[in-house]
Amino acid sequence: STMNRMGENLGTTFGGREHIARMNRRPAQGAADEAGANAAEKKNEELIGALHSKLTTLKSVTININAEVHEQNKALDTMQSGMGATDTLLGSTMNRVGQMWSVGSNSSVMTMATGMVIAFFVCFYLARWLLRE
């Protein structure tokens, strides 16, 4: 009976039987909480790894797009310079045709115009025939 009173006094001093029962459960819950935290940490690391992989892929795609844009710009610059040369050649040819019209007689101008129309149609039908095959 003295021992029972001492147990009751200790129980009330330390928060009663419920507190003692909670103290006995706490290590098991702590281990479960730690296991849950470890599982969450592992999942976070997996997600970070997947995100890193996606970012690496995105970076390589971006680098490839940048290289392609530079190549396309070079091709456009080359085409522009080629078109500029063609424009200059065509302009000088038209100047010569204009000079010839102003100097030449009507018969030579008509002969040249007719020859140009015939040459155009021959080239047109020849290109059409070649592309068909």
Side-chain angles (χ1 to χ4, degrees):
S1 87
T2 309
M3 288 294 265
N4 283 343
R5 270 190 256 145
M6 268 176 56
E8 287 175 15
N9 288 339
L10 285 174
T12 54
T13 305
F14 291 108
R17 291 182 184 182
E18 294 84 23
H19 179 70
I20 293 172
R22 280 192 307 241
M23 291 297 288
N24 288 336
R25 280 186 299 198
R26 193 169 272 154
Q29 287 177 344
D33 290 342
E34 188 175 327
N38 287 340
E41 185 69 26
K42 185 176 180 182
K43 182 159 179 98
N44 282 343
E45 288 176 8
E46 289 173 0
L47 291 173
I48 287 172
L51 181 62
H52 177 66
S53 173
K54 289 177 183 179
L55 284 175
T56 303
T57 303
L58 182 61
K59 182 180 177 183
S60 69
V61 167
T62 304
I63 289 170
N64 291 340
I65 288 172
N66 187 29
E68 183 67 26
V69 166
H70 283 295
E71 288 179 28
Q72 294 292 327
N73 282 340
K74 285 180 185 178
L76 287 174
D77 289 342
T78 303
M79 287 175 56
Q80 185 178 6
S81 65
M83 290 293 183
T86 304
D87 186 41
T88 303
L89 179 64
L90 187 60
S92 66
T93 303
M94 291 307 292
N95 285 339
R96 289 181 188 154
V97 169
Q99 286 175 355
M100 195 165 94
W101 267 23
S102 65
V103 173
S105 67
N106 284 338
S107 64
S108 65
V109 171
M110 286 304 287
T111 304
M112 185 184 71
T114 304
M116 289 174 72
V117 169
I118 290 171
F120 172 76
F121 280 111
V122 168
C123 289
F124 176 76
Y125 285 112
L126 184 63
R128 194 169 154 197
W129 180 71
L130 288 173
L131 291 176
R132 194 173 355 154
E133 290 182 3

